[in-house]
Amino acid sequence: MSTGMDAFWMPFTANRDFKQAPRMLSKAKDMHYWTPEGRQILDGTAGLWCVNAGHARPRIVEAIARQAGEMDFAPPFQMGHPLAFELAERLIQLTPPGLNRVFFTNSGSESVDTALKIALAYHRVRGEAQRTRLIGRERGYHGVNFGGTALGGMGPNRKLFGSQLSGVDHLRHTHDPARNAFTKGQPAHGAELADDLERLVALHDASTIAAVIVEPMAGSTGVLLPPQGYLQRLRDICDKHGILLIFDEVITGFGRVGAPFAAQRFGVTPDIITAAKGVTNGCIPMGVVFVKQDIHDAFMQGPTAAIELPHGYTYSAHPMACAAALATLDTYAEESLLTRGADMEATFANAFHGLKGLPHVVDIRNIGMVAGIEFAPRPGAAPGRRAFEVFLGCWEEGVLVRAAGDNIAISPPLIINEAQIDQIASTLTKVIKRID
């Protein structure tokens, strides 16, 4: 007999375990959720790395409601609507110079697969159709579509699904706690790890490689920062061999690391940026791919009536998503939220690095408004069990954090205040002390 919870097959969730003791949310405002029973939960995760301006912000809510009544949907193929063009122009005011062409999707996963297809097609229209190989990185996360799954480097996300895509290889990851444990900001050691791309060039030949995709800061694997000089070296190697460099900024985009995009924070400009999440403050699904103009222009050849890129989605540039995004950008601008992570970084770092010395804590990492706390695996237990118990303990204490393998990730809305930062840190301290 149905319990009322049977039909929903939940994503990235231990379904049987969850349905024995559900963790339900029914309301949200600013920095908090509420359970159906009325218990208040401080949001230490910005929903799922996406609610950067806090929940139920009036300007965004009103824009969505207004757009729903004015025009709920418009077809994006061979048709347009004004908000899509307005939003694209607004967005390129935030990107690094040159990344001034915008393709709309509906999620980070779609943005990644779109970027990979653009990279492959770009080389083909330039007469280098042999460039079909794509390079990801160990411990990377690029969503869950076939391209992103194949290029991702987190084993549990890949092992059930076979070969996914052919012609894929992976760089070494950059996590080096032996040299970099408890670093505030970018670690000093590891720039040379970018040279692993030269190994793959020697193995496969540069003429076969279309693109390299990395997260400038790897989020879902537990907040891994790029070593100083690493991203620039990766950029230089890609330039040397004619390889496109893609930054997956689905998590880091829109203020998470203290700048509009991590590309600006780290001073390295890729050829393509994928984004999503924070573009609409999580209110309406939307993704974005930013492309350099010369890549876009390579497609603008042949008959003007021809479709230059046979790719897109029914909901690309959805009117309600565009309305939500424009209101989100207004909110970010009015409250200087895209740079607030830099202003609060020292406070954030001090609060969470203060957990050093607690039981089982083997590393703490931070930048902008994000921190990762790594735990030693519990001998004989399933991987990540200790971190998951910390997540559960914090939930019981009224704070939402995120378990990611053996790590806890903290990524609150950018409107968080010092007292709320202290609440997250003190709750983590209390819970960690009682976890064996």
Side-chain angles (χ1 to χ4, degrees), residues 5 34 39 85 96 103 112 158 186 195 221 335 394:
M5 299 185 70
W34 282 263
R39 192 163 67 91
F85 295 91
F103 196 100
V112 166
R158 293 161 49 89
Q186 288 183 263
D195 294 339
T221 193
E335 301 177 20
C394 288

Side-chain angles (χ1 to χ4, degrees), residues 9-26:
W9 191 347
M10 300 173 67
F12 273 114
T13 298
N15 277 249
R16 291 164 296 170
D17 182 72
F18 177 92
K19 291 172 184 180
Q20 292 298 312
R23 295 173 294 278
M24 303 289 277
L25 302 169
S26 61

Side-chain angles (χ1 to χ4, degrees), residues 389-413:
E389 289 179 8
V390 172
F391 155 74
L392 291 177
C394 288
W395 163 260
E396 292 164 1
E397 296 288 340
V399 171
L400 183 62
V401 298
R402 177 158 173 74
D406 288 312
N407 306 275
I408 288 291
I410 313 297
S411 60

Side-chain angles (χ1 to χ4, degrees), residues 13 15 22 27 41 78 114 120 154 169 177 206 243-244 267 273 280 295 302 305 317 332 344 357 389 406 413 424:
T13 298
N15 277 249
K27 189 176 91 171
I41 307 291
Q78 303 284 15
T114 295
L120 293 170
M154 297 172 68
D169 212 333
I243 299 167
L244 295 183
I273 288 176
T280 61
I295 297 174
Y332 289 156
M344 296 289 287
E389 289 179 8
D406 288 312
I424 297 172

